[in-house]
Amino acid sequence: MEQAFSKLKGDRWLWIIIIVLSVWSLLAVYSSVGTLAYKEGKGTEVYLIKHTLLIFGGFALMYFSHLLDYRWYAGISKILMAITIPLLLYTLLFGNTVNEASRWVTIPVINQTFQTSDLAKLALITFLARTLTRKQENIKDVKKAFLPIMGSVCAIFVLIAPANLSTALMLFGVSVLLLIIGRISIKQIAYVCLGVFVLLVLVVSLGPRRETYMSRVETYLSGEQADSEKSFQADHAKIAIASGGLFGKGPGNSTQRNVLPHPYSDFIFAIIIEEYGAIGGVILVCLYVALMFRCIRIVTLSPKAFGALLAAGLGFSLALQALGNMAVAVGLGPVTGIPLPLVSMGGTSILFTSLAFGIILSVSRNIDEMKGVGKQNEQSKKVIVGEIPAMG
């Protein structure tokens, strides 16, 4: 084990948390895909194998991305933004439509669906970290700093929100956090919030999914009775959590997995509590809290602004995504389609989540290397001083 970890650079505790979440994901997904396998006439092993391959593919991506110097991602962010905006526009107009939402495009040749908002999250956060770092000397200048930053945030929000409002709002929240850390004035941030609020009102009132958004919010605020059509998912998620008790029914013994529409993704946290109990749910929450704590530690130790902003943006985006998924499962928010990072079954979402972790670990690896250089310099100074003969 020690030999295996010696090849993994960066924060060791972060690596351990990622491995634990990935193993738990395999157990939870295998337990929750029974109904999906029955509907599609496949064995549950097919989905387990596919999910396992994605997990291993994500680890490979994480490993190689954490070996790359994080400063390279500053240049890569410009390329990602140049690709992301046209791709989001294409998705909005010509993407695959599921449940009145056009979120996916099909990759030619391999015929694999791809959710473009996953790329947009990575592109916007890395681009904001780069721009805020480069504009520090003119950070209060409206033309040189504020307008380019506001333009990128609003453009991504407008292109994601019509089909995936929850992801757009989460990404906006992370963007505001980066603006605060990046020393943008509160007055300018207020203008950004006002602009996005206007866009939000337009999306909710005039967008293609306006009826879905209004229905979910109204259902959540009114607290409709169980078995009603509108609150079906939320009600059965609560049933799963309540029936799990303190210790749960045991792995593979969930009953609500046969009722909930997406027990392997959107409501996997409810299935985990049903099978592993409240204790399992608390442990999972603690893992994500520990993950956020390790990311904050990386932010505070990073000697460079770009590394700190990069780790902060990616770390908070993953933490907010996890909190959003768990909040929906326990009834603290309206139903959304946000997956649980590294735990929910998914395709490209697992790969992009792994890439985000790889970039955070790249920042952490750089910190460790600089500490090593500092120690070597101190030791060399001591050796040199020790070699100087005493005068007199």
Side-chain angles (χ1 to χ4, degrees), residues 54-131:
L54 282 168
I55 291 290
F56 277 103
F59 262 95
L61 193 60
M62 195 185 310
Y63 178 76
F64 289 112
S65 60
H66 102 289
L67 292 179
L68 181 64
D69 192 314
Y70 74 90
R71 286 168 289 193
W72 282 91
Y73 294 107
I76 295 172
S77 68
K78 295 188 295 181
I79 301 172
L80 289 179
M81 283 295 288
I83 295 172
T84 297
I85 292 178
L87 192 58
L88 286 174
L89 183 60
Y90 175 84
T91 305
L92 193 61
L93 298 176
F94 309 107
N96 300 340
T97 302
V98 179
N99 295 330
E100 301 178 349
S102 181
R103 303 178 184 176
W104 297 267
V105 293
T106 303
I107 302 173
V109 183
I110 63 174
N111 199 34
Q112 175 69 44
T113 56
F114 162 56
Q115 190 163 339
T116 51
S117 60
D118 291 328
L119 174 62
K121 285 187 287 186
L122 189 65
L124 181 60
I125 290 170
T126 53
F127 181 78
L128 282 179
R130 173 187 179 275
T131 306

Side-chain angles (χ1 to χ4, degrees), residues 229-309:
E229 184 178 350
K230 291 182 179 180
S231 61
F232 179 84
Q233 298 179 79
D235 290 336
H236 282 280
K238 293 175 185 176
I239 292 171
I241 292 170
S243 60
L246 186 61
F247 299 102
K249 298 178 179 178
N253 293 323
S254 168
T255 54
Q256 293 303 311
R257 64 184 176 182
N258 301 319
V259 182
L260 282 166
H262 303 286
Y264 44 82
S265 57
D266 297 353
F267 290 94
I268 197 166
F269 184 63
I271 302 302
I272 287 173
I273 295 180
E274 184 181 8
E275 294 187 346
Y276 297 91
I279 293 176
V282 170
I283 291 173
L284 189 59
V285 171
C286 288
L287 284 172
Y288 282 110
V289 171
L291 186 151
M292 189 65 252
F293 174 77
R294 300 310 298 182
C295 289
I296 292 173
R297 183 177 179 274
I298 293 170
V299 172
T300 56
L301 292 176
S302 179
K304 303 293 184 180
F306 177 65
L309 289 168

Side-chain angles (χ1 to χ4, degrees), residues 29-52 264 345:
V29 168
Y30 183 62
S31 174
S32 57
V33 294
T35 303
L36 178 64
Y38 176 78
K39 289 179 180 179
E40 298 192 1
K42 300 178 182 178
T44 52
E45 293 79 9
V46 174
Y47 296 96
L48 178 63
I49 292 171
K50 182 181 178 181
H51 187 63
T52 303
Y264 44 82
M345 186 178 78

